[in-house]
Amino acid sequence: MNNLEQTLSIIKPDAVERNLQEEIINEFKKNGFLIIKQKKIHVSKIEAEQFYKVHQTKPFYNDLCTYLSSGPIVVMILEKENAVLDNRNLMGATNPSEAKEGTLRKKYGISIDKNSVHGSDSVENAKIEIDFFFKD
Ligand code: CMP
């Protein structure tokens, strides 16, 4: 059954800083994702706060937003069948120390904050997150 989906992926400042974007993008391609749109940007703290609004009551919210706005990031629209779930499986657990072998966060993540990649957690949020960065 065809269940073509799009999801939003972010290569976070820790990975861009280490020049890992090409390697990570190749992992997406190798795993069957099409890169529909891609851009390298540097978001402000206010933009990061808007993007991560769902986490605004969490104790880590301020650090998270400071971190996302600390350097350039690469934002992408990824497309494939079951893109949302497949991307989450490819990324692995939020905390790299708990992520399975072969996942992006296991390979590249440094800590729960510097976990190298973000991916939408549902089809509904994917639409909101894609609009956030790519609505023109
Ligand atoms: P991400 O998938 O981008 O979504 C929110 C981010 O918050 C998450 O990845 C982590 O990098 C970060 N974060 C920091 N502390 C925590 C925590 N205790 N639980 C979940 N996410 C956390």
Side-chain angles (χ1 to χ4, degrees), residues 12 52 55 60 64 88 91 94 105 111-115 117-119:
K12 295 189 181 184
Y52 275 131
H55 295 300
F60 55 82
L64 174 62
R88 290 186 72 76
M91 289 193 301
T94 306
R105 284 167 169 164
S111 65
I112 193 161
D113 304 295
K114 297 182 174 182
N115 62 357
V117 283
H118 166 84

Side-chain angles (χ1 to χ4, degrees), residues 50-113:
Q50 287 164 350
F51 178 73
Y52 275 131
K53 209 163 180 232
V54 289
H55 295 300
Q56 65 186 336
T57 58
K58 311 269 174 60
F60 55 82
Y61 178 62
N62 185 53
D63 286 349
L64 174 62
C65 298
T66 299
Y67 169 62
L68 192 76
S69 55
S70 69
I73 59 175
V74 177
V75 291
M76 287 166 289
I77 301 175
L78 304 182
E79 184 177 278
K80 79 185 283 293
E81 283 190 20
N82 304 311
V84 172
L85 187 60
D86 285 3
N87 182 38
R88 290 186 72 76
N89 288 335
L90 178 60
M91 289 193 301
T94 306
N95 191 339
S97 68
E98 291 164 13
K100 286 190 191 142
E101 283 303 328
T103 62
L104 299 179
R105 284 167 169 164
K106 177 74 181 182
K107 276 191 201 166
Y108 306 116
I110 297 167
S111 65
I112 193 161
D113 304 295

